[in-house]
Amino acid sequence: MSKLDVKLKRRTALKIGALTAAAVAVGVPMGSLKEASVKAAGTESSESKQLGFMYDQTKCINCKLCAKACKETNKWEPGAEWRKVYVAEPASNKVYLSMSCNHCADPACMAVCPVKAYTKRDKDGIVAHNTKKCVGCAYCLYACPYHAPQFVKSGTGAVTKCSFCAEIQDQGGKPACVSACPTGALTYGDITELRKTPGAVAPEVNGLPPASITNPSLVIIPKV
């Protein structure tokens, strides 16, 4: 790959990042959910299967066991956070948002990676990242509107992120975060079916970018 190719990839990443840089901040502002059609957010064909997450705000108790299980199972390097639980302001409202990589139908991270470290699995749509290919350019951090890729300068030198516990799923198990949730607030499945769940909406929480940017494989049941 030429130097020009890499420069063009970086320019693309910066352009996408400029559009969404303020989309997710530490302590995501939580407000009313846009009652957008969740069907409109999906671009998967009827022949393909796309796994996704469903998060029910009405059941979340902010125990953060989802993030803890992810950390213990995947052995995050210090400073990385593959899954985060955000708390709405004011905290007294007890409204939370648990997020990780959304394994988007149109992943921006994959589009800007100059070394093709990202791939999308055909059988389930999981967005996989190969740390051995990664050169640590961090363009994907600029591109992802959900801040899912993690890069620790003092770490391995490679980007890391949620893998949807692909290896565990391949062996018939569930993602660690889903297994650890004591209230059933976090579940997963075929995103086409999850979007049919009564009360489920597209992940367009006030402060998050339009779902149409990357078509995230996530639906939320909001706490009214």
Side-chain angles (χ1 to χ4, degrees):
M1 178 171 289
S2 69
K3 291 183 179 179
L4 177 59
D5 290 332
V6 174
K7 287 181 180 179
L8 289 174
K9 289 288 185 179
R10 183 174 186 276
R11 183 178 299 172
T12 302
L14 289 171
K15 183 177 180 180
I16 297 174
L19 294 173
T20 60
V24 182
V26 176
V28 173
M30 302 281 290
S32 61
L33 284 167
K34 181 179 180 181
E35 296 295 331
S37 168
V38 292
K39 292 183 180 179
T43 60
E44 303 79 18
S45 71
S46 58
E47 298 179 354
S48 65
K49 180 178 181 180
Q50 172 68 60
L51 289 179
F53 288 109
M54 181 165 69
Y55 174 67
D56 189 339
Q57 286 186 321
T58 68
K59 294 181 179 180
C60 184
I61 56 175
N62 195 30
C63 64
K64 296 184 174 65
L65 288 177
C66 54
K68 181 180 179 181
C70 180
K71 180 178 182 178
E72 293 177 349
T73 301
N74 296 290
K75 298 178 175 56
W76 302 348
E77 61 180 334
E81 291 183 284
W82 290 12
R83 178 169 287 279
K84 303 176 185 178
V85 180
Y86 298 96
V87 180
E89 294 295 339
S92 59
N93 287 343
K94 296 183 179 181
V95 178
Y96 314 110
L97 176 63
S98 177
M99 287 196 72
S100 65
C101 173
N102 292 317
H103 300 275
C104 303
D106 301 308
C109 56
M110 188 167 71
V112 302
C113 181
V115 295
K116 301 186 185 303
Y118 287 93
T119 54
K120 192 167 177 62
R121 304 202 325 175
D122 291 333
K123 68 177 183 179
D124 50 25
I126 291 176
V127 177
H129 179 262
N130 188 334
T131 55
K132 293 181 179 179
K133 284 187 176 182
C134 181
V135 295
C137 66
Y139 297 169
C140 54
L141 273 70
Y142 288 101
C144 177
Y146 302 102
H147 294 186
Q150 301 288 294
F151 182 69
V152 181
K153 291 183 178 180
S154 60
T156 62
V159 167
T160 61
K161 75 167 195 72
C162 160
S163 64
F164 217 142
C165 289
E167 292 184 1
I168 294 176
Q169 289 203 58
D170 287 344
Q171 296 172 6
K174 298 179 180 180
C177 56
V178 173
S179 295
C181 182
T183 64
L186 188 63
T187 55
Y188 81 113
D190 187 327
I191 194 63
T192 301
E193 296 303 314
L194 294 179
R195 288 183 174 128
K196 298 176 183 178
T197 304
V201 300
E204 295 188 346
V205 180
N206 183 26
L208 292 181
S212 60
I213 295 177
T214 60
N215 287 301
S217 301
L218 170 71
V219 292
I220 296 174
I221 297 177
K223 185 176 183 179
V224 179

